Every structure is written in structure tokens, then in C-alpha cells.
Amino acid sequence: MKIFNTLSRRKEEFVPLEPGKVKMYVCGPTVYNYIHIGNARPMIVFDTVRRYFEYKGYEVNFVSNFTDVDDKIIQKAIEEGVDASVISERFIAECKKDMAGLNVKPATTHPQATKEIPGMLEMIRTLIENGHAYAAADGTVYFRTASFPDYGKLSHKNLDELQSGFREIKVTGEEGKEDPADFVLWKPKKEGEPFWPSPWCDGRPGWHIECSVMAKRYLGDEIDIHAGGEDLIFPHHENEIAQSECANGKPFARYWMHNGFLNIDNKKMSKSLGNFFTVREISEKYDLQVLRFFMLSAHYRSPLNFSAELMEASKNGLERIRTAAARLKELEQKLGAAEDGLTGDASWTERLSGQEQAGIAAANELTAKYEAAMDDDFNTADAVSAIFELVKLSNSTVSESSSPAYVTYLRRTVAKLCDVMGIIPETKDESLDAEIEALIEARQQARKEKNYALADEIRGKLSGMGIILEDTRQGVKWRRA
Ligand code: AMP
Ligand code: ZN
């Protein structure tokens, strides 16, 4: 398997620290609101990475944090007149609901910053002791960037340039810094803010330290993969490397993976531009499986543009897979399920017709094509094309006279490949059902009003969606073609 490593800016062969195991850390959201569809991209992408490792037989220890102490959380708590933890706990619960809707597996561990303060104090103490950090007069603790010669290795920035860049921006309250490129590990409390006692001052942690500490606690000093959105490369991940490597005396993560940004109508998503959607808002218009499928239609490192047209295309694509999967399932039920033990290369295929044997060989080739795409830095776009080809194969070769084993084998293959993408092909799209029922209703109304042209137009639209209408005594019934 090859992974594009931001550290080397090259695709590298994946070699785990421990055979058969993957230790993976993904930076999670700051919980002050519902997650937006940009936050959903790393969740979906790295859940798919995890699923593919599991498909390949790896045991994955997947850690993803919730940043539950931060200026925006505190601001919202002040506005609502509640404790910051009320805000963060509320949005952690909402985030978990969205993740379930997106079929993102829960992490092995979901640590929270506020529950990891002792570990942070411990790491900060170590960094001070070994000369990599210092406390200023007001109790702020800074990381001494100049003490880490590798600083800049992830973002490919040079410390000298950084220092002069930072010198331009004078931040008030940071007068105690030795060097403009130094960053905060611990800061003094302000009125009305949550705080914890520490040897340096009552205060709270800087943002970066939490991830170094949680990765160490739940995965160890050295981990296989560290991931997040590309905006985190600098300064967040660069600072995590500095903290972890200076505190632990070991290289931190071997592979750094970063997803590209999600834009809306080719513009950066932002609240001020008004082009900002939460996952919750999208879930009112679409089945979230469509959003997941949309995200995986592009390579994870490419920028991705969110638009209604692309979502419609994803909806139709997903429906094509679902229709084929539903037909396979229906046939399987009609023909009787085949026995277990249908592997790719066993002698059971000899019982099949020549055309079916060729179908099995084609399905195996498509599985290999899918795996080759995923092995090449998780190229989900090409992997999805292989699923579409499999659907085509199934549609053109399966019928009521097929061997049960052939039908079962194809159904299982479709399900297996979709599962890595987190796509559940055999679920019904409730929102689509509602849309179909509304169209049928409109057609009935048109007929009542003797507007046959409109009634026919609606019937045509439904048939374009693969829906067959039947007039029965109980009224109009519909089924998928
Ligand atoms: P935050 O809550 O801002 O710390 O973000 C949580 C995760 O979402 C991080 O991995 C970010 O890089 C990622 N993220 C935020 N906005 C976007 C976006 N528009 N596109 C892709 N990833 C994003
Ligand atoms: Zn992080």
C-alpha cells in the first residue's frame, strides 16, 4: 500500500510499526456548534482509510479527539450564560449523531482535552526540564522553537523565515516570548474562563499540546499515521511534532495524511459569505449516505467543490448501486440463498454456466482493480468506478434463471466493496421514497383534474427514476424496476 506522506511529499510504501497493526490519530473538531460539511470530510475520508486497513486484515487503533476548551466554546458559553462544558457536551453529543448518520465508525477512543489535563501538565514539565520550554513572568509557558532543529520539517518552512514573519505580527500579551516563533503550551486564566491549577499559573492549555498528549496516552510515543485537514499542517501539526519529539525523544508519526478542502460553489466555505452548511442542514435535504458518497467521489487530497448538481449526481449514482443491490437481494431470496464458502478461486465455480464463470472472473478482476486503486494512496474515485462496473456486470448478467451461487457471490462482492466506503447498498432511501410518493400524489391530482399531459409527464419522470407504477384496487402501488 502506498500513502502520500506530507512529511516527504512523496507516496511511500506503508510499513506498520508493528506487523498487522495500525496506530492512527485524527484531529477532531472543536465542539462549539454543529459540525459543518467541511469537518465531515476528514471524518469520512479517514474512516474510509481505517475501513480499508481493516479490510486488509489490520487491527486499527483509531483515536480522534474533541477539542472541548477553546475561545469559541467559551464565547458561546458566556453568551448563553452557562458553563463551557455545557456547550461542549451538547455539541459532542450532536457530533456523534452526525457521525452515525454519515456511517463513520466511532473511534477506538474519543478523548477530550479537558479530561487530559494531568497528561498535559506532565508533558509541559518534561519540556521545561529538558530545555525545550520556558515559563514567562506572567506564567505563560512557551515552546522554544529554536531548540528543535527539525522545526518546519512537515510544512517545509524554514525557521529563519518564520521568525521574521512572526516579527511582523506583534501579538499583545505575548511580550514574554524569547522568540516570535515560539508558541503557547499553557496560558493564564482570564476572568470567567475555565481554568486548572498548574505549577506556572492557574490557566488552560494551548491548543496543540492536547493532541501530542492524547496520541502518547492512547497510542504510544510513536504512531503510524497522523491525519487531519490540510489547514492543520501549519502550525498545528508542526507544533505537535516539536512537542512530541522533544518530550519523547523519538520520531512521532511515520505518515502524515492531509485531506484537501471542501469549497462551496468554488468559494471557500465561510459564515460571512453565507455559503456554509452544517451536516444537520444537509441531512434535512438528503440522505447522509449521499453526502458520504459525494465526498468519496474525489481523491481525498484534491479540493472538492460542493454543489447541488454534484450532490444530485451522487444521489443518482448511489441509487444505481442500491437498485442493483436490491435486485440481487430480491433474486437471492427468490432463488434461495447459496451456501457459505464462496471464495474467489475455489472449485464451486465449476457448477456454474460458462457465462457465469466468466462473470465471476470479471467480478474478481474488478475487485482487484478496486484494491489497486485503494492501495494507491486511497484513490476512492477509481475504487467507486470499479463498483459501478460491478453493478453494470450484475445488471447485464443476472436474471431469474441465474444460479443462486452466482447471484449470492455478486451480492456479497458489491456489499463488501461498498462497506469499505461506508456505503450501505441495501438500505432504502427514505427521503427518496417520500419524493416518489409526492410525485404519485401529484399525478393522481392531475388525473382528477383531467390534466393528462401533466399526469403523463409525471409518470415519465417516475419511470426515469426507475419506478414502475401499478394501478390496483387499493390505489396506485409502486416498485423499483
Ligand atoms: P476544526 O473544528 O476547525 O478544528 O476542524 C476539524 C477538522 O475539520 C480539521 O481536520 C480541519 O482541517 C477540517 N476542516 C475544517 N474545514 C474544512 C473544510 N472546509 N474542508 C475540509 N476539511 C475541513
Ligand atoms: Zn490535533
Tab-separated table of all heavy atoms in Angstrom, residues 332-350:
chain	number	residue	atom	x	y	z
A	332	GLU	N	-31.910	-13.316	-4.837
A	332	GLU	CA	-31.326	-14.272	-3.903
A	332	GLU	C	-32.433	-14.896	-3.055
A	332	GLU	O	-32.448	-16.103	-2.815
A	332	GLU	CB	-30.312	-13.556	-3.012
A	332	GLU	CG	-29.403	-14.506	-2.259
A	332	GLU	CD	-28.382	-13.742	-1.419
A	332	GLU	OE1	-28.669	-12.620	-0.987
A	332	GLU	OE2	-27.304	-14.300	-1.195
A	333	GLN	N	-33.367	-14.052	-2.646
A	333	GLN	CA	-34.476	-14.561	-1.829
A	333	GLN	C	-35.367	-15.494	-2.646
A	333	GLN	O	-35.826	-16.521	-2.169
A	333	GLN	CB	-35.286	-13.403	-1.253
A	333	GLN	CG	-34.621	-12.857	-0.006
A	333	GLN	CD	-35.070	-11.456	0.361
A	333	GLN	OE1	-35.866	-10.839	-0.341
A	333	GLN	NE2	-34.534	-10.938	1.451
A	334	LYS	N	-35.566	-15.147	-3.893
A	334	LYS	CA	-36.421	-15.950	-4.771
A	334	LYS	C	-35.771	-17.294	-5.096
A	334	LYS	O	-36.401	-18.343	-5.065
A	334	LYS	CB	-36.638	-15.168	-6.064
A	334	LYS	CG	-38.081	-15.219	-6.543
A	334	LYS	CD	-38.274	-14.385	-7.774
A	334	LYS	CE	-39.125	-13.166	-7.495
A	334	LYS	NZ	-39.244	-12.274	-8.648
A	335	LEU	N	-34.449	-17.224	-5.401
A	335	LEU	CA	-33.746	-18.432	-5.860
A	335	LEU	C	-33.254	-19.302	-4.704
A	335	LEU	O	-32.837	-20.429	-4.905
A	335	LEU	CB	-32.550	-18.049	-6.742
A	335	LEU	CG	-32.871	-17.228	-8.000
A	335	LEU	CD1	-31.598	-16.759	-8.678
A	335	LEU	CD2	-33.695	-18.067	-8.976
A	336	GLY	N	-33.267	-18.731	-3.516
A	336	GLY	CA	-32.729	-19.467	-2.353
A	336	GLY	C	-31.270	-19.108	-2.191
A	336	GLY	O	-30.503	-19.136	-3.164
A	337	ALA	N	-30.884	-18.735	-0.970
A	337	ALA	CA	-29.502	-18.293	-0.741
A	337	ALA	C	-28.537	-19.445	-0.968
A	337	ALA	O	-28.850	-20.594	-0.668
A	337	ALA	CB	-29.366	-17.773	0.683
A	338	ALA	N	-27.402	-19.110	-1.523
A	338	ALA	CA	-26.381	-20.135	-1.755
A	338	ALA	C	-25.659	-20.428	-0.448
A	338	ALA	O	-25.762	-19.672	0.518
A	338	ALA	CB	-25.396	-19.635	-2.793
A	339	GLU	N	-24.922	-21.525	-0.456
A	339	GLU	CA	-24.173	-21.917	0.737
A	339	GLU	C	-23.025	-20.936	1.020
A	339	GLU	O	-22.687	-20.119	0.175
A	339	GLU	CB	-23.613	-23.338	0.558
A	339	GLU	CG	-22.500	-23.446	-0.486
A	339	GLU	CD	-22.984	-23.560	-1.939
A	339	GLU	OE1	-24.074	-23.050	-2.270
A	339	GLU	OE2	-22.235	-24.106	-2.729
A	340	ASP	N	-22.451	-21.076	2.182
A	340	ASP	CA	-21.274	-20.263	2.514
A	340	ASP	C	-20.057	-20.824	1.783
A	340	ASP	O	-20.135	-21.868	1.141
A	340	ASP	CB	-21.033	-20.307	4.032
A	340	ASP	CG	-21.991	-19.363	4.744
A	340	ASP	OD1	-22.500	-18.444	4.081
A	340	ASP	OD2	-22.237	-19.577	5.950
A	341	GLY	N	-18.954	-20.164	1.945
A	341	GLY	CA	-17.693	-20.683	1.399
A	341	GLY	C	-17.505	-20.390	-0.072
A	341	GLY	O	-16.797	-21.111	-0.783
A	342	LEU	N	-18.158	-19.343	-0.585
A	342	LEU	CA	-17.943	-18.968	-1.982
A	342	LEU	C	-16.728	-18.046	-2.043
A	342	LEU	O	-16.847	-16.857	-1.807
A	342	LEU	CB	-19.161	-18.238	-2.547
A	342	LEU	CG	-20.513	-18.932	-2.433
A	342	LEU	CD1	-21.581	-18.071	-3.069
A	342	LEU	CD2	-20.476	-20.297	-3.087
A	343	THR	N	-15.587	-18.613	-2.302
A	343	THR	CA	-14.389	-17.769	-2.364
A	343	THR	C	-14.090	-17.458	-3.819
A	343	THR	O	-14.744	-17.983	-4.717
A	343	THR	CB	-13.194	-18.482	-1.717
A	343	THR	OG1	-13.064	-19.735	-2.344
A	343	THR	CG2	-13.389	-18.648	-0.227
A	344	GLY	N	-13.125	-16.617	-4.021
A	344	GLY	CA	-12.823	-16.161	-5.372
A	344	GLY	C	-12.262	-17.227	-6.299
A	344	GLY	O	-12.427	-17.163	-7.504
A	345	ASP	N	-11.601	-18.242	-5.758
A	345	ASP	CA	-10.854	-19.142	-6.646
A	345	ASP	C	-11.163	-20.627	-6.432
A	345	ASP	O	-10.445	-21.488	-6.901
A	345	ASP	CB	-9.357	-18.899	-6.429
A	345	ASP	CG	-8.994	-18.958	-4.950
A	345	ASP	OD1	-9.908	-19.203	-4.139
A	345	ASP	OD2	-7.817	-18.763	-4.606
A	346	ALA	N	-12.249	-20.934	-5.730
A	346	ALA	CA	-12.480	-22.351	-5.420
A	346	ALA	C	-13.225	-23.073	-6.540
A	346	ALA	O	-13.685	-22.453	-7.497
A	346	ALA	CB	-13.249	-22.465	-4.117
A	347	SER	N	-13.342	-24.388	-6.367
A	347	SER	CA	-13.910	-25.208	-7.428
A	347	SER	C	-15.424	-25.047	-7.556
A	347	SER	O	-16.009	-25.533	-8.500
A	347	SER	CB	-13.568	-26.669	-7.162
A	347	SER	OG	-14.048	-26.993	-5.867
A	348	TRP	N	-16.054	-24.361	-6.610
A	348	TRP	CA	-17.507	-24.214	-6.682
A	348	TRP	C	-17.958	-23.572	-7.987
A	348	TRP	O	-19.053	-23.806	-8.454
A	348	TRP	CB	-18.055	-23.425	-5.488
A	348	TRP	CG	-17.627	-21.984	-5.442
A	348	TRP	CD1	-16.514	-21.483	-4.863
A	348	TRP	CD2	-18.301	-20.867	-6.031
A	348	TRP	NE1	-16.436	-20.129	-5.034
A	348	TRP	CE2	-17.530	-19.720	-5.753
A	348	TRP	CE3	-19.477	-20.716	-6.760
A	348	TRP	CZ2	-17.879	-18.451	-6.181
A	348	TRP	CZ3	-19.844	-19.441	-7.186
A	348	TRP	CH2	-19.031	-18.329	-6.897
A	349	THR	N	-17.093	-22.786	-8.594
A	349	THR	CA	-17.488	-22.102	-9.836
A	349	THR	C	-17.710	-23.096	-10.984
A	349	THR	O	-18.385	-22.764	-11.952
A	349	THR	CB	-16.425	-21.063	-10.268
A	349	THR	OG1	-15.167	-21.725	-10.345
A	349	THR	CG2	-16.351	-19.901	-9.303
A	350	GLU	N	-17.152	-24.308	-10.849
A	350	GLU	CA	-17.316	-25.295	-11.935
A	350	GLU	C	-18.778	-25.668	-12.148
A	350	GLU	O	-19.154	-26.130	-13.218
A	350	GLU	CB	-16.474	-26.549	-11.649
A	350	GLU	CG	-14.990	-26.294	-11.888
A	350	GLU	CD	-14.097	-27.332	-11.260
A	350	GLU	OE1	-14.603	-28.427	-10.936
A	350	GLU	OE2	-12.897	-27.045	-11.081
